[in-house]
Amino acid sequence: MLMVDWIALGIIFVFAAIGALIGFGRGLKFLTGGIFGIIISVVLCYIFGSMILGVPFVNDLLTKLAESIGGWSIVVTVIYYVVLFILFTLIRILIVKIIRKVAEADVLIMKIINKVFGAILMAAFGVLLGMLALQIIYWVQANPDSLGDIYVNWMMNAETGDPSAIVGALYVNNPLSALADYFTQIVEMIKGGVEGAALVL
């Protein structure tokens, strides 16, 4: 392994130590709050929005609402997804509170579980941040106006030219590179879904 791999392992260890210190309950609250919570709620709206819209009761209610305001269905669609976003946010907050209460129970076995899972959760979060950083480096390096391999030389073996065992391997086979294209398709599908929902109403 190269020095960059040992540095990466050290950073992950620090994240794990922080996770063990704060526990799974507090770590989960942190990772599902703020901007992360907003993203989670938006994704849930995308996954379940069309499904819930297909429920006869919901569809009939929204249709009547659309008729009452002169058939401006796009307005009803926006209202629908805003309400759905609020509901998913409240449900997410409630579930996190319940999980945190259980995880932080004043019982020895739960205290141990809270520490262990807290370490695993934050270590995974650290790995995710690392992959995101590597994906950004990949996008910058792939830019025709970039300085080329200056961005990636530090994660390659100078003698063999092979990528380092951990960081270089993740750079070459980063799962986020496939997810980036997937989320781009999701954004397009969301746009199409909103337009389609408006037509349904």
PDB file of all heavy atoms in Angstrom, residues 64-99:
ATOM      1  N   LYS A  64     -60.578  16.685  -7.586  1.00  0.00           N
ATOM      2  CA  LYS A  64     -61.588  17.649  -7.131  1.00  0.00           C
ATOM      3  C   LYS A  64     -60.946  18.991  -6.800  1.00  0.00           C
ATOM      4  O   LYS A  64     -61.509  20.051  -7.092  1.00  0.00           O
ATOM      5  CB  LYS A  64     -62.320  17.097  -5.904  1.00  0.00           C
ATOM      6  CG  LYS A  64     -63.218  15.910  -6.214  1.00  0.00           C
ATOM      7  CD  LYS A  64     -63.884  15.379  -4.946  1.00  0.00           C
ATOM      8  CE  LYS A  64     -64.782  14.175  -5.267  1.00  0.00           C
ATOM      9  NZ  LYS A  64     -65.400  13.615  -4.039  1.00  0.00           N
ATOM     10  N   LEU A  65     -59.772  18.938  -6.189  1.00  0.00           N
ATOM     11  CA  LEU A  65     -59.062  20.172  -5.869  1.00  0.00           C
ATOM     12  C   LEU A  65     -58.678  20.918  -7.142  1.00  0.00           C
ATOM     13  O   LEU A  65     -58.794  22.142  -7.224  1.00  0.00           O
ATOM     14  CB  LEU A  65     -57.810  19.858  -5.041  1.00  0.00           C
ATOM     15  CG  LEU A  65     -56.943  21.057  -4.625  1.00  0.00           C
ATOM     16  CD1 LEU A  65     -57.756  22.035  -3.791  1.00  0.00           C
ATOM     17  CD2 LEU A  65     -55.713  20.577  -3.854  1.00  0.00           C
ATOM     18  N   ALA A  66     -58.240  20.157  -8.159  1.00  0.00           N
ATOM     19  CA  ALA A  66     -57.881  20.770  -9.440  1.00  0.00           C
ATOM     20  C   ALA A  66     -59.090  21.429 -10.089  1.00  0.00           C
ATOM     21  O   ALA A  66     -59.004  22.532 -10.629  1.00  0.00           O
ATOM     22  CB  ALA A  66     -57.279  19.711 -10.372  1.00  0.00           C
ATOM     23  N   GLU A  67     -60.232  20.760 -10.020  1.00  0.00           N
ATOM     24  CA  GLU A  67     -61.453  21.311 -10.611  1.00  0.00           C
ATOM     25  C   GLU A  67     -61.914  22.559  -9.876  1.00  0.00           C
ATOM     26  O   GLU A  67     -62.438  23.499 -10.478  1.00  0.00           O
ATOM     27  CB  GLU A  67     -62.559  20.251 -10.584  1.00  0.00           C
ATOM     28  CG  GLU A  67     -62.288  19.072 -11.513  1.00  0.00           C
ATOM     29  CD  GLU A  67     -63.315  17.972 -11.348  1.00  0.00           C
ATOM     30  OE1 GLU A  67     -64.140  18.057 -10.396  1.00  0.00           O
ATOM     31  OE2 GLU A  67     -63.298  17.009 -12.145  1.00  0.00           O
ATOM     32  N   SER A  68     -61.680  22.586  -8.559  1.00  0.00           N
ATOM     33  CA  SER A  68     -62.129  23.726  -7.763  1.00  0.00           C
ATOM     34  C   SER A  68     -61.332  24.997  -8.039  1.00  0.00           C
ATOM     35  O   SER A  68     -61.798  26.101  -7.767  1.00  0.00           O
ATOM     36  CB  SER A  68     -62.061  23.395  -6.274  1.00  0.00           C
ATOM     37  OG  SER A  68     -60.708  23.248  -5.859  1.00  0.00           O
ATOM     38  N   ILE A  69     -60.121  24.835  -8.569  1.00  0.00           N
ATOM     39  CA  ILE A  69     -59.312  26.021  -8.871  1.00  0.00           C
ATOM     40  C   ILE A  69     -59.192  26.237 -10.374  1.00  0.00           C
ATOM     41  O   ILE A  69     -58.260  26.868 -10.846  1.00  0.00           O
ATOM     42  CB  ILE A  69     -57.903  25.904  -8.242  1.00  0.00           C
ATOM     43  CG1 ILE A  69     -57.159  24.681  -8.783  1.00  0.00           C
ATOM     44  CG2 ILE A  69     -57.979  25.865  -6.741  1.00  0.00           C
ATOM     45  CD1 ILE A  69     -55.724  24.591  -8.282  1.00  0.00           C
ATOM     46  N   GLY A  70     -60.154  25.703 -11.095  1.00  0.00           N
ATOM     47  CA  GLY A  70     -60.210  25.974 -12.526  1.00  0.00           C
ATOM     48  C   GLY A  70     -59.354  25.083 -13.378  1.00  0.00           C
ATOM     49  O   GLY A  70     -59.037  25.428 -14.520  1.00  0.00           O
ATOM     50  N   GLY A  71     -58.969  23.926 -12.853  1.00  0.00           N
ATOM     51  CA  GLY A  71     -58.221  22.966 -13.675  1.00  0.00           C
ATOM     52  C   GLY A  71     -56.737  23.225 -13.783  1.00  0.00           C
ATOM     53  O   GLY A  71     -56.080  22.674 -14.651  1.00  0.00           O
ATOM     54  N   TRP A  72     -56.195  24.063 -12.918  1.00  0.00           N
ATOM     55  CA  TRP A  72     -54.753  24.305 -12.932  1.00  0.00           C
ATOM     56  C   TRP A  72     -54.046  23.132 -12.257  1.00  0.00           C
ATOM     57  O   TRP A  72     -53.609  23.203 -11.124  1.00  0.00           O
ATOM     58  CB  TRP A  72     -54.431  25.621 -12.209  1.00  0.00           C
ATOM     59  CG  TRP A  72     -54.683  26.825 -13.067  1.00  0.00           C
ATOM     60  CD1 TRP A  72     -55.678  26.976 -13.981  1.00  0.00           C
ATOM     61  CD2 TRP A  72     -53.929  28.028 -13.100  1.00  0.00           C
ATOM     62  NE1 TRP A  72     -55.612  28.195 -14.576  1.00  0.00           N
ATOM     63  CE2 TRP A  72     -54.539  28.879 -14.061  1.00  0.00           C
ATOM     64  CE3 TRP A  72     -52.806  28.493 -12.418  1.00  0.00           C
ATOM     65  CZ2 TRP A  72     -54.058  30.147 -14.361  1.00  0.00           C
ATOM     66  CZ3 TRP A  72     -52.337  29.754 -12.709  1.00  0.00           C
ATOM     67  CH2 TRP A  72     -52.941  30.580 -13.673  1.00  0.00           C
ATOM     68  N   SER A  73     -53.968  22.026 -12.945  1.00  0.00           N
ATOM     69  CA  SER A  73     -53.462  20.786 -12.364  1.00  0.00           C
ATOM     70  C   SER A  73     -52.004  20.867 -11.923  1.00  0.00           C
ATOM     71  O   SER A  73     -51.606  20.182 -10.979  1.00  0.00           O
ATOM     72  CB  SER A  73     -53.643  19.633 -13.362  1.00  0.00           C
ATOM     73  OG  SER A  73     -52.994  19.927 -14.582  1.00  0.00           O
ATOM     74  N   ILE A  74     -51.187  21.672 -12.591  1.00  0.00           N
ATOM     75  CA  ILE A  74     -49.780  21.766 -12.210  1.00  0.00           C
ATOM     76  C   ILE A  74     -49.651  22.353 -10.813  1.00  0.00           C
ATOM     77  O   ILE A  74     -48.765  21.979 -10.041  1.00  0.00           O
ATOM     78  CB  ILE A  74     -48.986  22.607 -13.243  1.00  0.00           C
ATOM     79  CG1 ILE A  74     -47.487  22.560 -12.917  1.00  0.00           C
ATOM     80  CG2 ILE A  74     -49.502  24.040 -13.268  1.00  0.00           C
ATOM     81  CD1 ILE A  74     -46.890  21.188 -13.015  1.00  0.00           C
ATOM     82  N   VAL A  75     -50.553  23.267 -10.461  1.00  0.00           N
ATOM     83  CA  VAL A  75     -50.547  23.845  -9.117  1.00  0.00           C
ATOM     84  C   VAL A  75     -50.873  22.762  -8.089  1.00  0.00           C
ATOM     85  O   VAL A  75     -50.242  22.670  -7.029  1.00  0.00           O
ATOM     86  CB  VAL A  75     -51.570  25.000  -9.014  1.00  0.00           C
ATOM     87  CG1 VAL A  75     -51.624  25.528  -7.575  1.00  0.00           C
ATOM     88  CG2 VAL A  75     -51.213  26.114  -9.981  1.00  0.00           C
ATOM     89  N   VAL A  76     -51.862  21.925  -8.411  1.00  0.00           N
ATOM     90  CA  VAL A  76     -52.242  20.833  -7.518  1.00  0.00           C
ATOM     91  C   VAL A  76     -51.090  19.847  -7.368  1.00  0.00           C
ATOM     92  O   VAL A  76     -50.842  19.325  -6.270  1.00  0.00           O
ATOM     93  CB  VAL A  76     -53.501  20.111  -8.046  1.00  0.00           C
ATOM     94  CG1 VAL A  76     -53.875  18.949  -7.137  1.00  0.00           C
ATOM     95  CG2 VAL A  76     -54.664  21.084  -8.157  1.00  0.00           C
ATOM     96  N   THR A  77     -50.389  19.577  -8.445  1.00  0.00           N
ATOM     97  CA  THR A  77     -49.248  18.663  -8.401  1.00  0.00           C
ATOM     98  C   THR A  77     -48.165  19.193  -7.470  1.00  0.00           C
ATOM     99  O   THR A  77     -47.595  18.440  -6.673  1.00  0.00           O
ATOM    100  CB  THR A  77     -48.662  18.463  -9.813  1.00  0.00           C
ATOM    101  OG1 THR A  77     -49.672  17.968 -10.680  1.00  0.00           O
ATOM    102  CG2 THR A  77     -47.498  17.490  -9.781  1.00  0.00           C
ATOM    103  N   VAL A  78     -47.890  20.478  -7.570  1.00  0.00           N
ATOM    104  CA  VAL A  78     -46.884  21.091  -6.699  1.00  0.00           C
ATOM    105  C   VAL A  78     -47.331  20.993  -5.233  1.00  0.00           C
ATOM    106  O   VAL A  78     -46.541  20.627  -4.355  1.00  0.00           O
ATOM    107  CB  VAL A  78     -46.654  22.566  -7.091  1.00  0.00           C
ATOM    108  CG1 VAL A  78     -45.768  23.249  -6.048  1.00  0.00           C
ATOM    109  CG2 VAL A  78     -46.013  22.653  -8.467  1.00  0.00           C
ATOM    110  N   ILE A  79     -48.608  21.308  -4.982  1.00  0.00           N
ATOM    111  CA  ILE A  79     -49.144  21.210  -3.621  1.00  0.00           C
ATOM    112  C   ILE A  79     -49.011  19.779  -3.099  1.00  0.00           C
ATOM    113  O   ILE A  79     -48.627  19.544  -1.953  1.00  0.00           O
ATOM    114  CB  ILE A  79     -50.623  21.655  -3.581  1.00  0.00           C
ATOM    115  CG1 ILE A  79     -50.722  23.150  -3.895  1.00  0.00           C
ATOM    116  CG2 ILE A  79     -51.240  21.352  -2.216  1.00  0.00           C
ATOM    117  CD1 ILE A  79     -52.149  23.642  -4.019  1.00  0.00           C
ATOM    118  N   TYR A  80     -49.338  18.815  -3.966  1.00  0.00           N
ATOM    119  CA  TYR A  80     -49.270  17.401  -3.591  1.00  0.00           C
ATOM    120  C   TYR A  80     -47.865  17.013  -3.147  1.00  0.00           C
ATOM    121  O   TYR A  80     -47.675  16.400  -2.088  1.00  0.00           O
ATOM    122  CB  TYR A  80     -49.719  16.540  -4.767  1.00  0.00           C
ATOM    123  CG  TYR A  80     -49.387  15.071  -4.635  1.00  0.00           C
ATOM    124  CD1 TYR A  80     -50.039  14.267  -3.709  1.00  0.00           C
ATOM    125  CD2 TYR A  80     -48.407  14.485  -5.443  1.00  0.00           C
ATOM    126  CE1 TYR A  80     -49.738  12.921  -3.581  1.00  0.00           C
ATOM    127  CE2 TYR A  80     -48.088  13.145  -5.326  1.00  0.00           C
ATOM    128  CZ  TYR A  80     -48.759  12.371  -4.389  1.00  0.00           C
ATOM    129  OH  TYR A  80     -48.447  11.052  -4.268  1.00  0.00           O
ATOM    130  N   TYR A  81     -46.858  17.380  -3.935  1.00  0.00           N
ATOM    131  CA  TYR A  81     -45.492  16.979  -3.606  1.00  0.00           C
ATOM    132  C   TYR A  81     -44.939  17.757  -2.411  1.00  0.00           C
ATOM    133  O   TYR A  81     -44.103  17.239  -1.660  1.00  0.00           O
ATOM    134  CB  TYR A  81     -44.584  17.132  -4.825  1.00  0.00           C
ATOM    135  CG  TYR A  81     -44.663  15.934  -5.749  1.00  0.00           C
ATOM    136  CD1 TYR A  81     -45.416  15.979  -6.923  1.00  0.00           C
ATOM    137  CD2 TYR A  81     -44.010  14.752  -5.431  1.00  0.00           C
ATOM    138  CE1 TYR A  81     -45.509  14.867  -7.758  1.00  0.00           C
ATOM    139  CE2 TYR A  81     -44.083  13.639  -6.260  1.00  0.00           C
ATOM    140  CZ  TYR A  81     -44.838  13.709  -7.416  1.00  0.00           C
ATOM    141  OH  TYR A  81     -44.934  12.605  -8.231  1.00  0.00           O
ATOM    142  N   VAL A  82     -45.390  18.975  -2.213  1.00  0.00           N
ATOM    143  CA  VAL A  82     -44.968  19.735  -1.037  1.00  0.00           C
ATOM    144  C   VAL A  82     -45.527  19.077   0.232  1.00  0.00           C
ATOM    145  O   VAL A  82     -44.799  18.883   1.220  1.00  0.00           O
ATOM    146  CB  VAL A  82     -45.436  21.202  -1.126  1.00  0.00           C
ATOM    147  CG1 VAL A  82     -45.245  21.906   0.220  1.00  0.00           C
ATOM    148  CG2 VAL A  82     -44.659  21.945  -2.205  1.00  0.00           C
ATOM    149  N   VAL A  83     -46.813  18.728   0.200  1.00  0.00           N
ATOM    150  CA  VAL A  83     -47.432  18.055   1.347  1.00  0.00           C
ATOM    151  C   VAL A  83     -46.761  16.706   1.588  1.00  0.00           C
ATOM    152  O   VAL A  83     -46.484  16.323   2.732  1.00  0.00           O
ATOM    153  CB  VAL A  83     -48.949  17.862   1.113  1.00  0.00           C
ATOM    154  CG1 VAL A  83     -49.550  16.978   2.201  1.00  0.00           C
ATOM    155  CG2 VAL A  83     -49.656  19.212   1.076  1.00  0.00           C
ATOM    156  N   LEU A  84     -46.486  15.978   0.507  1.00  0.00           N
ATOM    157  CA  LEU A  84     -45.828  14.674   0.633  1.00  0.00           C
ATOM    158  C   LEU A  84     -44.438  14.825   1.239  1.00  0.00           C
ATOM    159  O   LEU A  84     -44.027  14.025   2.092  1.00  0.00           O
ATOM    160  CB  LEU A  84     -45.733  14.019  -0.755  1.00  0.00           C
ATOM    161  CG  LEU A  84     -45.526  12.499  -0.786  1.00  0.00           C
ATOM    162  CD1 LEU A  84     -46.716  11.790  -0.145  1.00  0.00           C
ATOM    163  CD2 LEU A  84     -45.353  12.032  -2.238  1.00  0.00           C
ATOM    164  N   PHE A  85     -43.724  15.856   0.815  1.00  0.00           N
ATOM    165  CA  PHE A  85     -42.390  16.131   1.359  1.00  0.00           C
ATOM    166  C   PHE A  85     -42.470  16.392   2.859  1.00  0.00           C
ATOM    167  O   PHE A  85     -41.654  15.868   3.640  1.00  0.00           O
ATOM    168  CB  PHE A  85     -41.774  17.335   0.646  1.00  0.00           C
ATOM    169  CG  PHE A  85     -40.458  17.780   1.212  1.00  0.00           C
ATOM    170  CD1 PHE A  85     -39.277  17.169   0.842  1.00  0.00           C
ATOM    171  CD2 PHE A  85     -40.411  18.816   2.144  1.00  0.00           C
ATOM    172  CE1 PHE A  85     -38.065  17.573   1.378  1.00  0.00           C
ATOM    173  CE2 PHE A  85     -39.203  19.222   2.687  1.00  0.00           C
ATOM    174  CZ  PHE A  85     -38.035  18.606   2.303  1.00  0.00           C
ATOM    175  N   ILE A  86     -43.446  17.188   3.281  1.00  0.00           N
ATOM    176  CA  ILE A  86     -43.611  17.491   4.702  1.00  0.00           C
ATOM    177  C   ILE A  86     -43.938  16.223   5.491  1.00  0.00           C
ATOM    178  O   ILE A  86     -43.390  15.984   6.570  1.00  0.00           O
ATOM    179  CB  ILE A  86     -44.716  18.548   4.903  1.00  0.00           C
ATOM    180  CG1 ILE A  86     -44.271  19.878   4.275  1.00  0.00           C
ATOM    181  CG2 ILE A  86     -45.029  18.742   6.387  1.00  0.00           C
ATOM    182  CD1 ILE A  86     -45.343  20.945   4.279  1.00  0.00           C
ATOM    183  N   LEU A  87     -44.833  15.391   4.947  1.00  0.00           N
ATOM    184  CA  LEU A  87     -45.214  14.149   5.627  1.00  0.00           C
ATOM    185  C   LEU A  87     -44.017  13.211   5.778  1.00  0.00           C
ATOM    186  O   LEU A  87     -43.790  12.638   6.860  1.00  0.00           O
ATOM    187  CB  LEU A  87     -46.334  13.449   4.859  1.00  0.00           C
ATOM    188  CG  LEU A  87     -47.719  14.097   4.933  1.00  0.00           C
ATOM    189  CD1 LEU A  87     -48.703  13.357   4.043  1.00  0.00           C
ATOM    190  CD2 LEU A  87     -48.220  14.121   6.375  1.00  0.00           C
ATOM    191  N   PHE A  88     -43.251  13.039   4.695  1.00  0.00           N
ATOM    192  CA  PHE A  88     -42.080  12.159   4.763  1.00  0.00           C
ATOM    193  C   PHE A  88     -41.045  12.711   5.738  1.00  0.00           C
ATOM    194  O   PHE A  88     -40.366  11.932   6.427  1.00  0.00           O
ATOM    195  CB  PHE A  88     -41.462  11.986   3.379  1.00  0.00           C
ATOM    196  CG  PHE A  88     -42.143  10.950   2.539  1.00  0.00           C
ATOM    197  CD1 PHE A  88     -42.512  11.225   1.230  1.00  0.00           C
ATOM    198  CD2 PHE A  88     -42.427   9.691   3.043  1.00  0.00           C
ATOM    199  CE1 PHE A  88     -43.143  10.263   0.446  1.00  0.00           C
ATOM    200  CE2 PHE A  88     -43.058   8.728   2.275  1.00  0.00           C
ATOM    201  CZ  PHE A  88     -43.412   9.023   0.975  1.00  0.00           C
ATOM    202  N   THR A  89     -40.925  14.019   5.800  1.00  0.00           N
ATOM    203  CA  THR A  89     -39.982  14.630   6.737  1.00  0.00           C
ATOM    204  C   THR A  89     -40.395  14.345   8.175  1.00  0.00           C
ATOM    205  O   THR A  89     -39.558  13.976   9.014  1.00  0.00           O
ATOM    206  CB  THR A  89     -39.909  16.155   6.511  1.00  0.00           C
ATOM    207  OG1 THR A  89     -39.442  16.420   5.180  1.00  0.00           O
ATOM    208  CG2 THR A  89     -38.951  16.800   7.506  1.00  0.00           C
ATOM    209  N   LEU A  90     -41.686  14.506   8.472  1.00  0.00           N
ATOM    210  CA  LEU A  90     -42.180  14.235   9.824  1.00  0.00           C
ATOM    211  C   LEU A  90     -42.015  12.762  10.194  1.00  0.00           C
ATOM    212  O   LEU A  90     -41.612  12.428  11.316  1.00  0.00           O
ATOM    213  CB  LEU A  90     -43.656  14.644   9.926  1.00  0.00           C
ATOM    214  CG  LEU A  90     -43.944  16.145   9.817  1.00  0.00           C
ATOM    215  CD1 LEU A  90     -45.447  16.400   9.810  1.00  0.00           C
ATOM    216  CD2 LEU A  90     -43.274  16.916  10.951  1.00  0.00           C
ATOM    217  N   ILE A  91     -42.319  11.878   9.224  1.00  0.00           N
ATOM    218  CA  ILE A  91     -42.170  10.432   9.469  1.00  0.00           C
ATOM    219  C   ILE A  91     -40.699  10.090   9.709  1.00  0.00           C
ATOM    220  O   ILE A  91     -40.368   9.303  10.606  1.00  0.00           O
ATOM    221  CB  ILE A  91     -42.727   9.623   8.278  1.00  0.00           C
ATOM    222  CG1 ILE A  91     -44.247   9.795   8.187  1.00  0.00           C
ATOM    223  CG2 ILE A  91     -42.366   8.147   8.416  1.00  0.00           C
ATOM    224  CD1 ILE A  91     -44.863   9.204   6.947  1.00  0.00           C
ATOM    225  N   ARG A  92     -39.809  10.678   8.905  1.00  0.00           N
ATOM    226  CA  ARG A  92     -38.371  10.428   9.064  1.00  0.00           C
ATOM    227  C   ARG A  92     -37.896  10.875  10.440  1.00  0.00           C
ATOM    228  O   ARG A  92     -37.164  10.134  11.123  1.00  0.00           O
ATOM    229  CB  ARG A  92     -37.599  11.179   7.967  1.00  0.00           C
ATOM    230  CG  ARG A  92     -36.094  11.154   8.149  1.00  0.00           C
ATOM    231  CD  ARG A  92     -35.403  11.890   7.018  1.00  0.00           C
ATOM    232  NE  ARG A  92     -35.916  13.224   6.814  1.00  0.00           N
ATOM    233  CZ  ARG A  92     -35.556  14.278   7.564  1.00  0.00           C
ATOM    234  NH1 ARG A  92     -34.711  14.131   8.570  1.00  0.00           N
ATOM    235  NH2 ARG A  92     -36.044  15.477   7.296  1.00  0.00           N
ATOM    236  N   ILE A  93     -38.302  12.047  10.860  1.00  0.00           N
ATOM    237  CA  ILE A  93     -37.901  12.560  12.170  1.00  0.00           C
ATOM    238  C   ILE A  93     -38.413  11.653  13.286  1.00  0.00           C
ATOM    239  O   ILE A  93     -37.678  11.347  14.244  1.00  0.00           O
ATOM    240  CB  ILE A  93     -38.429  13.999  12.363  1.00  0.00           C
ATOM    241  CG1 ILE A  93     -37.713  14.951  11.393  1.00  0.00           C
ATOM    242  CG2 ILE A  93     -38.218  14.461  13.807  1.00  0.00           C
ATOM    243  CD1 ILE A  93     -38.267  16.357  11.401  1.00  0.00           C
ATOM    244  N   LEU A  94     -39.659  11.197  13.164  1.00  0.00           N
ATOM    245  CA  LEU A  94     -40.250  10.320  14.177  1.00  0.00           C
ATOM    246  C   LEU A  94     -39.496   8.999  14.274  1.00  0.00           C
ATOM    247  O   LEU A  94     -39.179   8.516  15.374  1.00  0.00           O
ATOM    248  CB  LEU A  94     -41.718  10.068  13.854  1.00  0.00           C
ATOM    249  CG  LEU A  94     -42.485   9.131  14.810  1.00  0.00           C
ATOM    250  CD1 LEU A  94     -42.487   9.712  16.220  1.00  0.00           C
ATOM    251  CD2 LEU A  94     -43.899   8.897  14.311  1.00  0.00           C
ATOM    252  N   ILE A  95     -39.197   8.398  13.099  1.00  0.00           N
ATOM    253  CA  ILE A  95     -38.487   7.111  13.086  1.00  0.00           C
ATOM    254  C   ILE A  95     -37.095   7.248  13.693  1.00  0.00           C
ATOM    255  O   ILE A  95     -36.659   6.395  14.482  1.00  0.00           O
ATOM    256  CB  ILE A  95     -38.392   6.573  11.641  1.00  0.00           C
ATOM    257  CG1 ILE A  95     -39.779   6.167  11.133  1.00  0.00           C
ATOM    258  CG2 ILE A  95     -37.435   5.386  11.568  1.00  0.00           C
ATOM    259  CD1 ILE A  95     -39.805   5.742   9.686  1.00  0.00           C
ATOM    260  N   VAL A  96     -36.396   8.336  13.348  1.00  0.00           N
ATOM    261  CA  VAL A  96     -35.050   8.560  13.891  1.00  0.00           C
ATOM    262  C   VAL A  96     -35.107   8.730  15.399  1.00  0.00           C
ATOM    263  O   VAL A  96     -34.249   8.208  16.127  1.00  0.00           O
ATOM    264  CB  VAL A  96     -34.398   9.790  13.227  1.00  0.00           C
ATOM    265  CG1 VAL A  96     -33.106  10.171  13.951  1.00  0.00           C
ATOM    266  CG2 VAL A  96     -34.103   9.503  11.760  1.00  0.00           C
ATOM    267  N   LYS A  97     -36.119   9.438  15.889  1.00  0.00           N
ATOM    268  CA  LYS A  97     -36.259   9.624  17.337  1.00  0.00           C
ATOM    269  C   LYS A  97     -36.490   8.295  18.046  1.00  0.00           C
ATOM    270  O   LYS A  97     -35.921   8.041  19.111  1.00  0.00           O
ATOM    271  CB  LYS A  97     -37.412  10.587  17.634  1.00  0.00           C
ATOM    272  CG  LYS A  97     -37.070  12.057  17.418  1.00  0.00           C
ATOM    273  CD  LYS A  97     -38.188  12.963  17.888  1.00  0.00           C
ATOM    274  CE  LYS A  97     -37.790  14.424  17.767  1.00  0.00           C
ATOM    275  NZ  LYS A  97     -38.854  15.344  18.239  1.00  0.00           N
ATOM    276  N   ILE A  98     -37.321   7.442  17.444  1.00  0.00           N
ATOM    277  CA  ILE A  98     -37.594   6.137  18.040  1.00  0.00           C
ATOM    278  C   ILE A  98     -36.331   5.277  18.070  1.00  0.00           C
ATOM    279  O   ILE A  98     -35.993   4.664  19.082  1.00  0.00           O
ATOM    280  CB  ILE A  98     -38.719   5.413  17.270  1.00  0.00           C
ATOM    281  CG1 ILE A  98     -40.049   6.160  17.445  1.00  0.00           C
ATOM    282  CG2 ILE A  98     -38.859   3.969  17.752  1.00  0.00           C
ATOM    283  CD1 ILE A  98     -41.181   5.612  16.604  1.00  0.00           C
ATOM    284  N   ILE A  99     -35.630   5.247  16.922  1.00  0.00           N
ATOM    285  CA  ILE A  99     -34.401   4.451  16.849  1.00  0.00           C
ATOM    286  C   ILE A  99     -33.368   4.969  17.838  1.00  0.00           C
ATOM    287  O   ILE A  99     -32.684   4.194  18.520  1.00  0.00           O
ATOM    288  CB  ILE A  99     -33.832   4.477  15.419  1.00  0.00           C
ATOM    289  CG1 ILE A  99     -34.780   3.750  14.460  1.00  0.00           C
ATOM    290  CG2 ILE A  99     -32.446   3.835  15.378  1.00  0.00           C
ATOM    291  CD1 ILE A  99     -34.351   3.813  13.013  1.00  0.00           C
TER     292      ILE A  99
END
